[in-house]
Amino acid sequence: MRSVGAVGRFVVRAALRGLRASPATVAVAVVSMSLTLVLFGAFGVAILNVQEAVERAGDELTLSAWLAPEVDGGTRARLAADAARIDGVQAVEAVSPEMALARFPEQTGVAAGVEELLGANPLPASLDVRLRAESRSPEAVAKVRDALARLPGVSDVSSGDDWVAGYARAMAFVHSAALGV
């Protein structure tokens, strides 16, 4: 039986003979493997960056439950607590009409005062609902939207269905691309 050292020396000598016998073939093999590894790494980094960007955009996904005008601050807080117990909800923020008016310029880019233009605050109170990551599929968003709509005092719910569907398609593409690489 031969020792491991003897077998190792034999393998190294055979490899060196092969390198000397056909240097062009070895060079082509080394270059092609190097390019493959570089491309694989570049695609991997690109896919990870795209996935992170899509997930960050998904973090911004909120549903807005618009409240009826007669809903007061105490009822708004109770509705926010009820909404927070809905399956798939990560967080709920109760937004008063005054808070909505204060946010309006930064969210819309309209610098002119809405209250000055209309004479009164036209913005309703709302609940801004953030979803858990696993609840951002179109089906899960529809369930949360329907549960919010059933809460007493909620007059309308906007969920950006087109955006949710686009988000789901983007995540599916990123996962498919990752599997392809």
Side-chain angles (χ1 to χ4, degrees):
M1 204 186 249
R2 295 184 182 200
S3 70
V4 174
V7 172
R9 283 190 298 276
F10 172 76
V11 169
V12 169
R13 275 186 289 206
L16 290 174
R17 272 193 306 260
L19 288 173
R20 282 191 294 269
S22 55
T25 304
V26 170
V28 169
V30 168
V31 168
S32 65
M33 283 189 274
S34 298
L35 285 175
T36 301
L37 289 173
V38 166
L39 290 174
F40 183 77
F43 280 122
V45 168
I47 286 171
L48 288 174
N49 286 339
V50 169
Q51 182 175 5
E52 184 179 321
V54 170
E55 286 174 358
R56 243 189 341 259
D59 290 342
E60 298 299 318
L61 175 63
T62 58
L63 279 72
S64 294
W66 307 105
L67 304 179
E70 64 272 6
V71 173
D72 63 9
T75 306
R76 187 170 48 247
R78 184 184 52 75
L79 286 171
D82 290 346
R85 286 191 287 275
I86 295 172
D87 189 36
V89 171
Q90 179 179 2
V92 178
E93 181 183 9
V95 179
S96 68
E98 295 76 25
M99 288 172 61
L101 185 63
R103 290 180 180 177
F104 187 78
E106 71 184 46
Q107 290 181 341
T108 63
V110 176
V114 174
E115 200 167 13
E116 292 83 23
L117 291 173
L118 299 177
N121 182 358
L123 302 175
S126 66
L127 301 175
D128 288 347
V129 179
R130 286 185 164 280
L131 301 177
R132 283 189 243 136
E134 65 272 8
S135 298
R136 293 182 186 148
S137 69
E139 299 81 20
V141 170
K143 286 180 183 177
V144 173
R145 182 186 60 233
D146 294 344
L148 286 170
R150 288 191 299 270
L151 292 175
V154 172
S155 61
D156 191 20
V157 179
S158 66
S159 61
D161 290 334
D162 292 340
W163 195 95
V164 172
Y167 170 77
R169 282 193 306 273
M171 284 304 288
F173 170 75
V174 169
H175 289 277
S176 297
L179 288 175
V181 170

